Amino acid sequence: MTAELIAFPVREANTFDDAWACRAGQMKKRGDGLEKTRKLWNKCAERVGHARLLAALKANLQEKEPLSGFPGLSVWLNGERWDHWLPDEAAVALVEHPPYPQRPALIAALGEPFVVSYCDPAIIHPDGWITPATGYAKGKLMEKGRELKAAGLLGIRNKVER
């Protein structure tokens, strides 16, 4: 008689308390309720993992200018603003796109960091339209509409579900 081995999944540690502690000063002034935000955090963490979501928050907090403010944590979670700040492995896993003809003009107009962050993860359609990878990226691209048009893109399409 052989013994059966049963493997139990190991749950990832919940990182909400760490996230709540590292919020920016501006974020703490917003009216986030602890339990409401905890539920939102856990919902988002189910999709991407607790450690990756915390890393996204910390990366966003490090890059954000201190005087520009920061939304409340619940707004950051509900708006999927964390999606843009996921570690590189997550961004690469979303979608890989071949080089597109407008890329050199976009780099010249917007700079390579902007193009790598917002244009490369997007879908550049052959007809000249761009579909941003996230809602946050869509906002950033909309701010640069003139530059996008000058580089040969026609406009922005709504995000497609993956």
Side-chain angles (χ1 to χ4, degrees), residues 45-67:
E46 283 177 15
R47 292 174 55 193
V48 297
H50 281 276
R52 289 176 50 209
L53 189 57
L54 181 61
L57 176 62
K58 288 180 177 180
N60 190 185
L61 290 172
Q62 284 179 346
E63 191 164 314
K64 200 76 170 170
E65 294 179 24
L67 299 177

Side-chain angles (χ1 to χ4, degrees), residues 27-45:
M27 184 186 277
K28 290 178 184 178
K29 293 178 186 175
R30 309 282 190 224
D32 283 334
L34 178 70
E35 291 309 312
K36 174 186 162 192
T37 308
R38 182 183 304 273
K39 287 178 185 177
L40 285 171
W41 181 270
N42 290 334
K43 182 180 174 185
C44 294

Side-chain angles (χ1 to χ4, degrees), residues 64-86:
K64 200 76 170 170
E65 294 179 24
L67 299 177
S68 67
F70 199 92
L73 185 55
S74 62
V75 171
W76 189 78
L77 292 166
N78 269 332
E80 293 187 8
R81 296 180 183 190
W82 47 267
D83 196 13
H84 172 73
W85 301 100
L86 287 174

Side-chain angles (χ1 to χ4, degrees), residues 117-157:
S117 295
Y118 303 109
C119 298
D120 288 351
I123 299 170
I124 310 292
H125 301 275
D127 60 359
W129 290 84
I130 183 170
T131 302
T134 66
Y136 182 77
K138 180 180 179 181
K140 289 295 190 179
L141 290 168
M142 288 178 73
E143 290 173 9
K144 304 292 185 181
R146 288 184 183 169
E147 291 88 346
L148 293 174
K149 192 164 193 156
L153 294 175
L154 298 177
I156 299 171
R157 287 191 179 154

